[in-house]
């Protein structure tokens, strides 16, 4: 670890719609130069919003304006509110050890206050992580084992159902439709699909 590497603080407030039933957590956003919007999963090469469009609207580009090369952020926020999906990341403060967005080279300096976050969305009993590192952080916070990809575990007190989903990064070698199958199963189990 290089102590000269700057520490970054998460750029966005948690997205916590009223009545949220599912909290989806990545690790940390890419650098701002990769953003197509000022919101979660901002990189247009990331599959997250394509997958959400496919699952809920039947079209992977339903939330993306191809001509403007930007996401339709008002549509995204409306859909997440309607479907009761909250968003946040597991890293509150991080160091990029190689200057990129790869989870492999992210040091979590300070994880998110998961339980503090959940007090703000009391109807949420399902937490899903988008990838292995995020799953490791949540497992560490909750004292659980990291679930296998596509599987879930309960916290020791049974209050939270923790799912590990495939990464939506294009670097993760899985077809969009296959990723969508995993997330569809999660949303069905949580009662929002």
């Amino acid at each position: 670890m290089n102590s000269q590497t700057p520490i970054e603080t998460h750029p966005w407030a948690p997205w916590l719609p009223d009545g949220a039933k599912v909290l989806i957590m990545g690790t940390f956003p890419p650098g701002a130069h990769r953003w197509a919007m000022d919101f979660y999963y901002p990189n247009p090469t990331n599959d997250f919003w394509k997958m959400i469009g496919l699952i809920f609207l039947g079209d992977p580009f339903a939330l993306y304006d191809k001509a403007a090369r930007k996401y339709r952020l008002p549509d995204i926020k409306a859909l997440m509110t309607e479907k009761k999906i909250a968003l946040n990341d597991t890293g509150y403060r991080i160091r990029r050890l190689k200057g990129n967005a790869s989870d492999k080279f992210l040091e979590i300096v300070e994880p998110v206050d998961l339980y503090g976050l959940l007090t703000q969305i009391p109807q949420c009993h399902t937490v899903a992580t988008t990838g292995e590192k995020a799953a490791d952080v949540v497992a560490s916070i909750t004292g659980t084992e990291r679930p296998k990809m596509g599987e879930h575990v309960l916290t020791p007190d049974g209050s939270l159902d923790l799912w590990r989903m495939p990464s939506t990064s294009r670097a993760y070698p899985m077809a969009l439709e296959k990723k969508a199958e995993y997330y569809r199963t999660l949303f069905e189990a949580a009662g929002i699909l």
Side-chain angles (χ1 to χ4, degrees), residues 35-112:
W35 298 359
M37 65 177 170
D38 196 10
F39 195 65
Y40 292 88
Y41 303 98
N43 189 333
T45 64
N46 190 289
D47 280 337
F48 188 82
W49 296 115
K50 293 178 190 106
M51 182 188 66
I52 293 294
L54 183 61
I55 292 169
F56 292 110
L57 303 169
D59 176 1
F61 294 100
L63 300 168
Y64 189 72
D65 183 335
K66 288 183 190 177
R69 298 178 69 181
K70 294 177 93 174
Y71 289 104
R72 293 184 179 98
L73 187 52
D75 294 350
I76 284 172
K77 289 181 174 181
L79 183 62
M80 294 295 95
T81 298
E82 175 192 335
K83 298 301 179 185
K84 301 186 182 326
I85 298 172
L87 301 168
N88 199 224
D89 287 316
T90 56
Y92 178 65
R93 298 175 74 225
I94 61 97
R95 280 193 180 97
R96 296 183 199 275
L97 303 179
K98 298 279 187 181
N100 61 30
S102 171
D103 280 0
K104 185 192 281 188
F105 302 113
L106 272 185
E107 174 196 355
I108 305 288
V109 175
E110 181 182 342
V112 70

Side-chain angles (χ1 to χ4, degrees), residues 97-141:
L97 303 179
K98 298 279 187 181
N100 61 30
S102 171
D103 280 0
K104 185 192 281 188
F105 302 113
L106 272 185
E107 174 196 355
I108 305 288
V109 175
E110 181 182 342
V112 70
D113 177 5
L114 178 61
Y115 287 108
L117 192 64
L118 290 167
T119 63
Q120 299 175 63
I121 45 174
Q123 293 174 315
C124 180
H125 301 286
T126 302
V127 175
T129 55
T130 60
E132 184 174 351
K133 186 162 197 121
D136 284 340
V137 173
V138 168
S140 173
I141 292 169

